[in-house]
Amino acid sequence: MKSIFFGTPEFAAFILRDLVTRGENIVAVVTAPDKPRGRGLHVESSAVSQAAVELGIPVLKPVKHRDPDFLHTLREYDADVFVVVAYKILPMEVIAIPPLGAFNVHASLLPKYRGAAPIDWAIIRGEQETGITTFLLEQGVDTGEILLQEHTPIGPDETVGELHDRLKAIGARVASETLRGLAAGTLHPEPQSNQDATPAPKIFPKDCEIDFHKSARDVQNFIHG
């Protein structure tokens, strides 16, 4: 089964490498355009782009996802499914291309912690477990039907960096299981409960001021998250 992989940061790059190691047929990678980074503002490619080059996989870096040339290129690869990990919201014009759809690998137990920072907020809110969810993409943000989930406990002193590294390994395994399940036709998508949904918005510097009026445990969770 042929797949196209969408992703940008190291979390996604790890999963890309792992899928290739497991023998998955990734025919192309889509990632963010190169941009200036760091103190010197040197132009650098994304972690996913660097991984794809190392693996010898063609890389696409669209500025606009509705661009007719980009959509034509995606169709030319004739992929069965799109795998999306830590990437921007895709338009329906992209999602509708592969016959088996597009699925996302999300670092929470959906519908809890929909959004850009699910690992951070799970720790900040003092959750005792989290996990990985794969789900079919649709127009909403992290609202699609669930394909697979795997749970994992959160340690009482675990930091966001430690949990991030554990979850990317779990995410790689669940992504591979999802690909194989889609190929075999053995997965049964389940709708999410919007009533149980919680947000996990992107965290900005203004959100990081510590409130020392809270309990010691809440402050610790805030710092760790």
Side-chain angles (χ1 to χ4, degrees):
M1 187 168 71
K2 295 192 294 184
S3 307
I4 294 179
F5 186 94
F6 293 68
T8 299
E10 174 54 36
F11 188 92
F14 179 94
I15 293 177
L16 171 62
R17 290 189 178 97
D18 191 272
L19 289 176
V20 172
T21 299
R22 293 172 184 269
E24 302 296 349
N25 184 21
I26 310 294
V27 296
V29 161
V30 181
T31 190
D34 299 349
K35 65 179 182 180
R37 303 172 193 271
R39 183 173 293 180
L41 294 179
H42 299 294
V43 176
E44 295 182 7
S45 57
S46 72
V48 163
S49 176
Q50 295 173 34
V53 170
E54 294 167 9
L55 295 166
I57 302 173
V59 182
L60 306 175
K61 302 178 182 181
V63 176
K64 296 182 179 180
H65 291 81
R66 290 187 172 90
D67 179 83
D69 290 338
F70 172 64
L71 295 173
H72 175 75
T73 301
L74 287 181
R75 294 187 184 97
E76 285 291 295
Y77 278 106
D78 195 29
D80 300 287
V81 65
F82 292 168
V83 184
V84 183
V85 185
Y87 196 70
K88 62 178 62 181
I89 299 172
L90 293 171
M92 288 305 299
E93 291 92 331
V94 173
I95 295 171
I97 288 175
L100 294 180
F103 73 87
N104 185 273
V105 181
H106 188 74
S108 81
L109 298 174
L110 290 173
K112 298 189 74 172
Y113 300 108
R114 292 173 176 173
I119 305 175
D120 311 68
W121 284 106
I123 293 180
I124 290 171
R125 298 300 185 209
E127 297 287 352
Q128 295 184 353
E129 75 165 358
T130 186
I132 291 290
T133 302
T134 56
F135 66 94
L136 292 172
L137 287 178
E138 57 179 29
Q139 194 61 64
V141 178
D142 300 333
T143 59
E145 293 183 314
I146 292 172
L147 297 170
L148 289 175
Q149 285 189 324
E150 182 169 329
H151 296 236
T152 189
I154 300 175
D157 298 315
E158 194 163 22
T159 66
V160 66
E162 293 165 344
L163 183 56
H164 170 280
D165 289 348
R166 286 204 301 113
L167 285 174
K168 69 184 182 183
I170 297 172
R173 183 173 65 254
V174 177
S176 180
E177 292 173 1
T178 301
L179 283 169
R180 296 175 187 276
L182 288 172
T186 55
L187 298 183
H188 305 285
E190 295 287 340
Q192 295 187 40
S193 168
N194 289 326
Q195 290 183 337
D196 297 328
T198 57
K202 185 176 180 179
I203 295 175
F204 296 93
K206 65 180 176 61
D207 303 316
C208 297
E209 183 176 343
I210 301 170
D211 181 359
F212 286 105
H213 292 95
K214 293 186 176 181
S215 71
R217 171 57 68 181
D218 286 346
V219 170
Q220 175 180 290
N221 289 338
F222 185 82
I223 293 169
H224 285 177

